Amino acid sequence: MTKEEALQIPELQIKPNSLVEDCFFYKMALAGKIPEQFKQKALSWLEGKENDPCYKGAFIVADMMIANIEKYGVACAEWCKE
C-alpha cells in the first residue's frame, strides 16, 4: 500500500510517538510477530515510563496499529512508503 492510499483510510491516521513505538514493538514481540530480542529491547525502552500519563494510552494505540497490520497490511499511514 502506498502512503497516498493509506492517507485515504481513517484508521491508518496514527502518528506514533516514541512511547507508542516502544509499546508497539513490545506487543509485536510478545505476540511472536517479530524476533524475541525486540521484546527485551522494548522492555528496556519502556523502563521507567510507567508513570507517564500517556503510558496506558500508548498501549491502546499500539493495539490499534497491530489491528491495522492484520486488516490493511500496514500499521499506519506515516510508516508507508511514498
Side-chain angles (χ1 to χ4, degrees):
M1 176 176 297
T2 67
K3 189 168 198 160
E4 187 175 320
E5 292 168 327
L7 288 171
Q8 304 304 312
I9 302 169
E11 293 154 299
L12 295 178
Q13 307 315 303
I14 297 171
K15 296 185 186 278
N17 61 20
S18 61
L19 179 58
V20 171
E21 288 180 9
D22 295 345
C23 294
F24 170 80
F25 288 113
Y26 173 73
K27 299 275 298 208
M28 289 288 286
L30 199 61
K33 296 180 181 194
I34 59 175
E36 176 73 18
Q37 68 194 35
F38 288 103
K39 184 168 91 175
Q40 296 308 316
K41 286 182 182 181
L43 273 175
S44 69
W45 299 330
L46 290 170
E47 190 173 313
K49 295 182 182 176
E50 299 86 1
N51 293 325
D52 185 316
C54 298
Y55 187 78
K56 289 181 182 178
F59 275 100
I60 292 168
V61 176
D63 286 336
M64 292 167 57
M65 293 172 68
I66 291 168
N68 285 344
I69 290 173
E70 293 168 2
K71 188 172 182 179
Y72 300 107
V74 295
C76 61
E78 191 164 301
W79 290 359
C80 288
K81 295 180 182 181
E82 296 295 323

Coordinates of all heavy atoms in Angstrom, one line a residue:
M1 N 0.8 -1.2 0.0 CA 0.0 0.0 0.0 C 0.9 1.2 0.0 O 1.9 1.3 0.8 CB -0.9 0.0 1.3 CG -1.7 1.2 1.4 SD -2.9 1.2 2.8 CE -3.9 -0.2 2.4
T2 N 0.6 2.2 -0.8 CA 1.3 3.4 -0.9 C 0.8 4.4 0.2 O -0.2 4.2 0.8 CB 1.2 4.1 -2.2 OG1 -0.2 4.6 -2.4 CG2 1.5 3.2 -3.4
K3 N 1.6 5.4 0.5 CA 1.3 6.3 1.5 C 0.0 7.1 1.1 O -0.9 7.4 1.9 CB 2.4 7.3 1.7 CG 2.2 8.2 2.9 CD 3.5 9.0 3.3 CE 3.3 9.5 4.7 NZ 4.6 9.8 5.2
E4 N -0.1 7.4 -0.2 CA -1.3 8.1 -0.7 C -2.5 7.3 -0.5 O -3.6 7.8 -0.1 CB -1.1 8.4 -2.2 CG -2.2 9.2 -2.8 CD -1.9 9.6 -4.3 OE1 -0.8 9.8 -4.6 OE2 -2.9 9.6 -5.1
E5 N -2.5 6.0 -0.7 CA -3.6 5.1 -0.5 C -3.9 5.0 1.0 O -5.1 5.1 1.4 CB -3.3 3.7 -1.0 CG -3.2 3.6 -2.5 CD -2.7 2.2 -2.9 OE1 -1.8 1.6 -2.2 OE2 -3.1 1.8 -4.0
A6 N -2.9 4.9 1.8 CA -3.1 4.8 3.3 C -3.7 6.1 3.9 O -4.5 6.1 4.8 CB -1.8 4.5 4.0
L7 N -3.4 7.2 3.3 CA -3.9 8.5 3.7 C -5.5 8.6 3.5 O -6.1 9.5 4.1 CB -3.2 9.7 3.1 CG -1.8 9.9 3.6 CD1 -1.1 10.9 2.7 CD2 -1.8 10.3 5.0
Q8 N -6.0 7.7 2.7 CA -7.5 7.7 2.5 C -8.2 6.9 3.5 O -9.5 6.9 3.5 CB -7.7 7.2 1.0 CG -7.0 8.0 -0.1 CD -7.3 9.5 0.0 OE1 -8.5 9.9 0.1 NE2 -6.3 10.3 -0.1
I9 N -7.5 6.2 4.4 CA -8.2 5.2 5.3 C -8.1 5.8 6.7 O -7.0 6.0 7.3 CB -7.5 3.9 5.3 CG1 -7.6 3.3 3.8 CG2 -8.1 2.9 6.3 CD1 -6.7 2.1 3.6
P10 N -9.2 6.2 7.3 CA -9.2 6.9 8.6 C -8.5 6.1 9.7 O -7.8 6.7 10.5 CB -10.7 7.0 8.9 CG -11.4 7.0 7.6 CD -10.6 6.1 6.7
E11 N -8.6 4.8 9.7 CA -7.9 4.0 10.8 C -6.4 4.1 10.7 O -5.8 3.8 11.7 CB -8.4 2.5 10.7 CG -9.8 2.4 11.0 CD -10.4 1.1 10.4 OE1 -10.4 1.1 9.1 OE2 -10.8 0.2 11.1
L12 N -5.9 4.4 9.6 CA -4.4 4.5 9.4 C -3.8 5.9 9.8 O -2.6 6.1 9.7 CB -4.0 4.1 8.0 CG -4.3 2.6 7.6 CD1 -4.0 2.4 6.2 CD2 -3.7 1.7 8.6
Q13 N -4.7 6.8 10.2 CA -4.2 8.1 10.5 C -3.7 8.2 12.0 O -4.2 8.9 12.8 CB -5.3 9.2 10.3 CG -6.0 9.1 8.9 CD -4.9 9.0 7.8 OE1 -4.1 9.8 7.6 NE2 -5.1 7.9 7.0
I14 N -2.6 7.4 12.2 CA -2.0 7.4 13.5 C -0.6 8.0 13.3 O 0.1 7.6 12.4 CB -1.9 6.0 14.0 CG1 -3.3 5.4 14.3 CG2 -1.1 5.9 15.3 CD1 -3.4 3.9 14.6
K15 N -0.2 8.9 14.2 CA 1.2 9.4 14.1 C 1.9 9.0 15.5 O 1.8 9.7 16.4 CB 1.2 10.9 14.0 CG 0.6 11.3 12.6 CD 0.6 12.8 12.5 CE -0.1 13.3 11.2 NZ 0.6 13.1 10.0
P16 N 2.5 7.8 15.4 CA 3.1 7.3 16.7 C 4.3 8.1 17.2 O 5.1 8.5 16.4 CB 3.5 5.9 16.3 CG 3.7 5.9 14.9 CD 2.7 6.9 14.3
N17 N 4.3 8.4 18.5 CA 5.5 9.0 19.1 C 6.4 7.8 19.6 O 6.1 6.7 19.4 CB 5.1 9.9 20.2 CG 4.3 9.3 21.4 OD1 4.4 8.0 21.5 ND2 3.6 10.1 22.1
S18 N 7.4 8.2 20.2 CA 8.4 7.1 20.6 C 7.8 6.2 21.7 O 8.1 5.0 21.6 CB 9.7 7.8 21.2 OG 9.4 8.6 22.3
L19 N 7.0 6.7 22.6 CA 6.4 5.8 23.6 C 5.4 4.8 22.9 O 5.5 3.6 23.2 CB 5.6 6.6 24.6 CG 4.9 5.8 25.7 CD1 5.8 4.9 26.5 CD2 4.1 6.8 26.6
V20 N 4.6 5.2 21.9 CA 3.7 4.3 21.2 C 4.6 3.3 20.4 O 4.2 2.1 20.4 CB 2.8 5.1 20.3 CG1 2.0 4.2 19.3 CG2 1.8 6.0 21.1
E21 N 5.6 3.8 19.8 CA 6.5 2.9 19.0 C 7.1 1.8 19.9 O 7.1 0.6 19.6 CB 7.6 3.6 18.3 CG 7.2 4.4 17.2 CD 8.3 5.2 16.5 OE1 9.5 5.0 16.8 OE2 8.0 6.0 15.6
D22 N 7.5 2.2 21.1 CA 8.1 1.2 22.1 C 7.0 0.2 22.5 O 7.3 -1.0 22.5 CB 8.6 1.9 23.3 CG 9.8 2.8 23.0 OD1 10.4 2.7 21.9 OD2 10.1 3.6 23.9
C23 N 5.8 0.6 22.7 CA 4.7 -0.3 23.1 C 4.4 -1.2 21.9 O 4.2 -2.4 22.1 CB 3.5 0.5 23.5 SG 3.7 1.5 25.0
F24 N 4.4 -0.6 20.7 CA 4.1 -1.4 19.5 C 5.1 -2.6 19.4 O 4.7 -3.7 19.2 CB 4.1 -0.5 18.3 CG 4.0 -1.2 17.0 CD1 2.8 -1.6 16.5 CD2 5.2 -1.4 16.2 CE1 2.8 -2.3 15.3 CE2 5.1 -2.1 15.0 CZ 3.9 -2.5 14.5
F25 N 6.4 -2.2 19.4 CA 7.4 -3.3 19.2 C 7.3 -4.3 20.4 O 7.5 -5.5 20.1 CB 8.8 -2.7 19.1 CG 9.0 -2.0 17.8 CD1 9.1 -0.6 17.7 CD2 8.9 -2.7 16.6 CE1 9.3 0.0 16.5 CE2 9.1 -2.1 15.4 CZ 9.2 -0.7 15.3
Y26 N 7.1 -3.9 21.6 CA 6.9 -4.8 22.7 C 5.8 -5.8 22.4 O 5.9 -7.0 22.6 CB 6.7 -4.0 24.0 CG 6.4 -5.0 25.2 CD1 7.4 -5.8 25.7 CD2 5.1 -5.0 25.7 CE1 7.1 -6.6 26.8 CE2 4.8 -5.9 26.7 CZ 5.8 -6.7 27.3 OH 5.5 -7.5 28.3
K27 N 4.6 -5.2 22.1 CA 3.4 -6.1 21.8 C 3.6 -7.0 20.6 O 3.2 -8.1 20.7 CB 2.2 -5.2 21.6 CG 1.8 -4.3 22.7 CD 0.9 -4.9 23.8 CE -0.4 -5.4 23.2 NZ -1.5 -5.4 24.1
M28 N 4.3 -6.5 19.6 CA 4.6 -7.4 18.4 C 5.5 -8.5 18.8 O 5.3 -9.7 18.4 CB 5.2 -6.5 17.3 CG 4.3 -5.6 16.6 SD 3.0 -6.4 15.6 CE 4.1 -6.8 14.2
A29 N 6.5 -8.2 19.6 CA 7.4 -9.3 20.1 C 6.7 -10.3 21.0 O 6.9 -11.5 20.9 CB 8.6 -8.7 20.7
L30 N 5.9 -9.7 21.9 CA 5.1 -10.6 22.8 C 4.2 -11.5 22.1 O 4.0 -12.7 22.5 CB 4.3 -9.7 23.7 CG 3.8 -10.2 25.0 CD1 4.9 -10.7 25.9 CD2 2.9 -9.2 25.7
A31 N 3.6 -11.1 20.9 CA 2.8 -11.9 20.1 C 3.5 -12.8 19.2 O 2.9 -13.6 18.5 CB 1.8 -11.0 19.3
G32 N 4.8 -12.7 19.2 CA 5.7 -13.6 18.4 C 5.7 -13.2 16.9 O 6.0 -14.0 16.0
K33 N 5.3 -11.9 16.6 CA 5.3 -11.4 15.3 C 6.6 -10.8 14.8 O 6.8 -10.6 13.6 CB 4.2 -10.4 15.1 CG 2.8 -11.1 15.3 CD 1.7 -10.1 15.2 CE 0.4 -10.8 15.5 NZ -0.8 -10.1 15.1
I34 N 7.5 -10.6 15.7 CA 8.9 -10.1 15.4 C 9.8 -10.9 16.4 O 9.3 -11.4 17.4 CB 9.0 -8.6 15.5 CG1 8.7 -8.1 16.9 CG2 8.2 -7.9 14.5 CD1 8.9 -6.6 17.2
P35 N 11.1 -10.9 16.1 CA 12.0 -11.7 17.0 C 11.9 -11.3 18.5 O 11.7 -10.2 18.8 CB 13.4 -11.4 16.4 CG 13.1 -11.0 15.0 CD 11.8 -10.3 15.0
E36 N 12.1 -12.3 19.3 CA 12.1 -12.2 20.7 C 13.0 -11.1 21.2 O 12.7 -10.4 22.2 CB 12.5 -13.5 21.4 CG 12.6 -13.5 22.9 CD 11.2 -13.4 23.6 OE1 10.2 -13.7 23.0 OE2 11.2 -13.1 24.8
Q37 N 14.2 -10.9 20.6 CA 15.1 -9.9 21.0 C 14.5 -8.5 21.1 O 14.9 -7.7 21.9 CB 16.4 -9.9 20.1 CG 16.1 -9.4 18.7 CD 17.1 -9.7 17.7 OE1 17.8 -10.7 17.8 NE2 17.4 -8.7 16.8
F38 N 13.5 -8.2 20.3 CA 12.9 -6.9 20.3 C 12.1 -6.7 21.6 O 11.9 -5.6 22.0 CB 12.0 -6.7 19.1 CG 12.9 -6.5 17.8 CD1 13.0 -7.5 16.9 CD2 13.5 -5.3 17.6 CE1 13.8 -7.3 15.8 CE2 14.3 -5.1 16.5 CZ 14.4 -6.1 15.6
K39 N 11.6 -7.8 22.1 CA 10.8 -7.7 23.4 C 11.7 -7.2 24.5 O 11.3 -6.3 25.2 CB 10.2 -9.1 23.8 CG 9.3 -9.0 25.0 CD 8.5 -10.2 25.2 CE 9.3 -11.2 26.1 NZ 8.5 -12.4 26.4
Q40 N 12.9 -7.7 24.6 CA 13.8 -7.3 25.6 C 14.3 -5.8 25.4 O 14.3 -5.1 26.4 CB 15.1 -8.2 25.7 CG 14.7 -9.6 26.1 CD 13.9 -9.7 27.4 OE1 14.2 -9.0 28.3 NE2 12.9 -10.5 27.4
K41 N 14.5 -5.5 24.2 CA 14.9 -4.1 23.8 C 13.7 -3.2 24.2 O 13.9 -2.1 24.8 CB 15.2 -3.9 22.4 CG 16.6 -4.5 22.0 CD 16.9 -4.3 20.5 CE 18.2 -4.9 20.2 NZ 18.6 -4.7 18.8
A42 N 12.5 -3.5 23.8 CA 11.4 -2.7 24.1 C 11.1 -2.5 25.6 O 10.8 -1.5 26.0 CB 10.1 -3.2 23.3
L43 N 11.3 -3.6 26.3 CA 11.1 -3.6 27.7 C 12.1 -2.6 28.4 O 11.7 -1.8 29.2 CB 11.4 -5.0 28.4 CG 10.1 -5.9 28.4 CD1 10.5 -7.2 29.0 CD2 9.1 -5.3 29.3
S44 N 13.3 -2.6 27.9 CA 14.3 -1.6 28.4 C 14.0 -0.2 28.0 O 14.2 0.7 28.8 CB 15.7 -2.0 27.9 OG 15.9 -1.8 26.5
W45 N 13.4 0.0 26.8 CA 12.9 1.3 26.4 C 11.8 1.8 27.2 O 11.7 3.0 27.5 CB 12.5 1.3 24.9 CG 13.6 0.9 23.9 CD1 14.9 1.1 24.0 CD2 13.4 0.3 22.7 NE1 15.6 0.7 22.9 CE2 14.7 0.1 22.1 CE3 12.3 -0.2 22.0 CZ2 14.8 -0.5 20.8 CZ3 12.5 -0.8 20.7 CH2 13.7 -0.9 20.2
L46 N 10.9 0.9 27.6 CA 9.7 1.2 28.4 C 10.0 1.4 29.9 O 9.2 2.0 30.6 CB 8.6 0.2 28.2 CG 8.0 0.1 26.9 CD1 7.1 -1.1 26.8 CD2 7.2 1.4 26.6
E47 N 11.2 0.9 30.3 CA 11.6 1.0 31.7 C 11.5 2.4 32.2 O 12.1 3.3 31.6 CB 13.0 0.4 31.9 CG 13.3 0.2 33.4 CD 14.7 -0.5 33.5 OE1 14.8 -1.6 32.8 OE2 15.5 -0.1 34.3
G48 N 10.8 2.7 33.3 CA 10.7 4.0 34.0 C 9.7 4.9 33.4 O 9.5 6.0 33.8
K49 N 9.0 4.4 32.3 CA 7.9 5.2 31.7 C 6.5 4.9 32.2 O 5.6 5.5 31.8 CB 8.0 5.0 30.2 CG 9.3 5.6 29.6 CD 9.3 5.4 28.1 CE 10.6 5.9 27.5 NZ 10.6 5.7 26.1
E50 N 6.4 4.0 33.2 CA 5.2 3.5 33.7 C 4.3 4.7 34.3 O 3.1 4.6 34.3 CB 5.3 2.4 34.8 CG 6.0 1.2 34.2 CD 7.5 1.2 34.3 OE1 8.1 2.3 34.8 OE2 8.1 0.3 33.9
N51 N 5.0 5.7 34.8 CA 4.3 6.8 35.4 C 3.9 7.9 34.4 O 3.3 8.9 34.8 CB 5.1 7.5 36.5 CG 5.3 6.5 37.7 OD1 4.4 5.8 38.0 ND2 6.4 6.5 38.3
D52 N 4.3 7.7 33.1 CA 3.9 8.7 32.1 C 2.4 8.7 32.0 O 1.8 7.6 31.9 CB 4.6 8.3 30.8 CG 4.4 9.2 29.6 OD1 3.2 9.7 29.5 OD2 5.3 9.5 28.9
P53 N 1.8 9.8 32.0 CA 0.3 9.8 31.9 C -0.2 9.2 30.6 O -1.4 8.8 30.5 CB -0.1 11.3 32.0 CG 1.2 12.1 31.9 CD 2.3 11.1 32.1
C54 N 0.6 9.1 29.6 CA 0.2 8.5 28.3 C 0.5 7.0 28.2 O 0.2 6.4 27.1 CB 0.9 9.3 27.2 SG 0.4 11.0 27.1
Y55 N 1.1 6.4 29.2 CA 1.6 5.0 29.2 C 0.5 4.1 28.7 O 0.6 3.3 27.8 CB 2.2 4.7 30.5 CG 2.8 3.3 30.6 CD1 4.1 3.2 30.0 CD2 2.2 2.2 31.2 CE1 4.8 1.9 30.1 CE2 2.9 1.0 31.2 CZ 4.1 0.8 30.7 OH 4.7 -0.4 30.8
K56 N -0.6 4.1 29.4 CA -1.7 3.1 29.1 C -2.3 3.4 27.8 O -2.6 2.5 27.0 CB -2.8 3.1 30.2 CG -2.4 2.5 31.5 CD -3.5 2.6 32.5 CE -3.0 2.0 33.8 NZ -4.1 2.0 34.9
G57 N -2.5 4.7 27.4 CA -3.0 5.0 26.1 C -2.1 4.6 25.0 O -2.6 4.2 23.9
A58 N -0.8 4.6 25.2 CA 0.2 4.2 24.2 C 0.0 2.7 23.9 O 0.1 2.4 22.7 CB 1.6 4.5 24.7
F59 N -0.3 1.9 24.8 CA -0.6 0.5 24.6 C -1.9 0.3 23.8 O -2.0 -0.6 22.9 CB -0.6 -0.3 25.9 CG 0.7 -0.7 26.4 CD1 1.4 0.0 27.4 CD2 1.4 -1.8 25.8 CE1 2.6 -0.4 27.8 CE2 2.6 -2.2 26.2 CZ 3.2 -1.5 27.2
I60 N -2.9 1.2 24.0 CA -4.1 1.1 23.3 C -3.8 1.5 21.8 O -4.3 0.8 20.9 CB -5.2 2.0 23.9 CG1 -5.6 1.5 25.2 CG2 -6.4 2.2 22.9 CD1 -6.4 2.5 26.1
V61 N -3.0 2.5 21.6 CA -2.7 2.9 20.2 C -1.9 1.8 19.5 O -2.1 1.5 18.4 CB -2.0 4.2 20.2 CG1 -1.5 4.6 18.8 CG2 -2.9 5.3 20.7
A62 N -1.0 1.2 20.3 CA -0.2 0.1 19.7 C -1.1 -1.1 19.3 O -0.9 -1.7 18.2 CB 0.8 -0.4 20.8
D63 N -2.1 -1.4 20.1 CA -3.1 -2.4 19.7 C -3.8 -2.0 18.4 O -4.1 -2.9 17.6 CB -4.1 -2.6 20.8 CG -3.5 -3.4 22.0 OD1 -2.5 -4.2 21.8 OD2 -4.0 -3.3 23.1
M64 N -4.1 -0.8 18.3 CA -4.8 -0.3 17.1 C -3.9 -0.5 15.9 O -4.3 -0.9 14.8 CB -5.2 1.2 17.2 CG -6.3 1.4 18.2 SD -6.5 3.2 18.7 CE -6.8 3.9 17.1
M65 N -2.6 -0.2 16.0 CA -1.6 -0.3 15.0 C -1.5 -1.8 14.6 O -1.4 -2.1 13.4 CB -0.3 0.3 15.4 CG -0.4 1.8 15.5 SD 1.1 2.5 16.2 CE 2.3 2.2 14.9
I66 N -1.5 -2.7 15.5 CA -1.4 -4.1 15.2 C -2.6 -4.6 14.5 O -2.6 -5.4 13.5 CB -1.1 -4.9 16.5 CG1 0.3 -4.6 17.1 CG2 -1.3 -6.4 16.3 CD1 0.5 -5.1 18.5
A67 N -3.8 -4.1 14.9 CA -5.0 -4.4 14.2 C -5.0 -3.9 12.8 O -5.5 -4.6 11.8 CB -6.2 -3.8 14.9
N68 N -4.4 -2.8 12.6 CA -4.3 -2.2 11.2 C -3.4 -3.1 10.3 O -3.7 -3.3 9.2 CB -3.7 -0.8 11.2 CG -4.7 0.2 11.7 OD1 -5.9 0.0 11.7 ND2 -4.2 1.4 12.1
I69 N -2.3 -3.7 10.9 CA -1.5 -4.6 10.1 C -2.3 -5.8 9.7 O -2.2 -6.2 8.5 CB -0.2 -5.0 11.0 CG1 0.7 -3.8 11.2 CG2 0.5 -6.2 10.3 CD1 1.9 -4.1 12.1
E70 N -3.1 -6.3 10.6 CA -3.9 -7.5 10.3 C -4.9 -7.2 9.2 O -5.2 -8.0 8.4 CB -4.5 -8.1 11.5 CG -3.5 -8.6 12.5 CD -4.0 -8.9 13.9 OE1 -5.2 -8.7 14.2 OE2 -3.2 -9.3 14.7
K71 N -5.5 -6.0 9.3 CA -6.6 -5.6 8.4 C -6.1 -5.0 7.0 O -6.6 -5.3 6.0 CB -7.5 -4.6 9.0 CG -8.7 -4.2 8.3 CD -9.7 -3.4 9.1 CE -10.9 -3.0 8.3 NZ -11.8 -2.2 9.1
Y72 N -5.0 -4.2 7.1 CA -4.6 -3.4 5.9 C -3.1 -3.8 5.5 O -2.7 -3.4 4.4 CB -4.6 -1.9 6.2 CG -6.0 -1.4 6.5 CD1 -6.3 -1.0 7.8 CD2 -7.0 -1.3 5.5 CE1 -7.6 -0.6 8.1 CE2 -8.2 -0.9 5.8 CZ -8.5 -0.5 7.1 OH -9.8 0.0 7.4
G73 N -2.4 -4.5 6.3 CA -1.0 -4.8 6.0 C 0.0 -3.8 6.4 O 1.2 -3.9 6.1
V74 N -0.5 -2.7 7.0 CA 0.4 -1.6 7.4 C -0.1 -1.1 8.8 O -1.3 -1.2 9.0 CB 0.5 -0.4 6.4 CG1 1.2 -0.9 5.2 CG2 -0.8 0.2 6.2
A75 N 0.8 -0.6 9.6 CA 0.4 -0.1 10.9 C -0.2 1.3 10.9 O -1.2 1.5 11.6 CB 1.6 -0.1 11.9
C76 N 0.3 2.1 10.1 CA -0.2 3.5 10.0 C 0.3 4.1 8.7 O 1.3 3.7 8.1 CB 0.2 4.3 11.2 SG 2.0 4.5 11.4
A77 N -0.4 5.2 8.3 CA 0.0 5.8 7.0 C 1.4 6.4 7.1 O 2.1 6.4 6.1 CB -1.0 6.9 6.7
E78 N 1.7 6.9 8.3 CA 3.0 7.5 8.4 C 4.2 6.6 8.1 O 5.3 7.0 7.7 CB 3.2 8.1 9.9 CG 4.4 9.0 10.0 CD 4.3 9.8 11.3 OE1 3.3 10.6 11.4 OE2 5.2 9.7 12.1
W79 N 4.0 5.3 8.3 CA 5.1 4.4 8.1 C 5.1 3.8 6.7 O 5.9 2.9 6.4 CB 5.0 3.2 9.1 CG 5.4 3.6 10.5 CD1 5.8 4.9 10.9 CD2 5.4 2.8 11.6 NE1 6.1 4.9 12.3 CE2 5.8 3.6 12.7 CE3 5.1 1.5 11.9 CZ2 6.0 3.1 14.0 CZ3 5.2 1.0 13.2 CH2 5.7 1.8 14.2
C80 N 4.2 4.2 5.8 CA 4.1 3.7 4.5 C 5.1 4.4 3.6 O 5.5 5.5 3.8 CB 2.7 4.0 3.9 SG 1.4 3.0 4.5
K81 N 5.5 3.7 2.6 CA 6.4 4.3 1.6 C 5.7 5.2 0.7 O 4.5 5.1 0.5 CB 7.1 3.2 0.7 CG 8.0 2.2 1.5 CD 8.5 1.2 0.6 CE 9.4 0.2 1.4 NZ 10.0 -0.8 0.6
E82 N 6.4 6.2 0.2 CA 5.7 7.1 -0.7 C 5.2 6.4 -1.9 O 4.3 6.4 -2.5 CB 6.8 8.2 -1.2 CG 7.3 9.0 -0.1 CD 6.2 9.9 0.6 OE1 5.3 10.4 -0.1 OE2 6.3 10.1 1.8

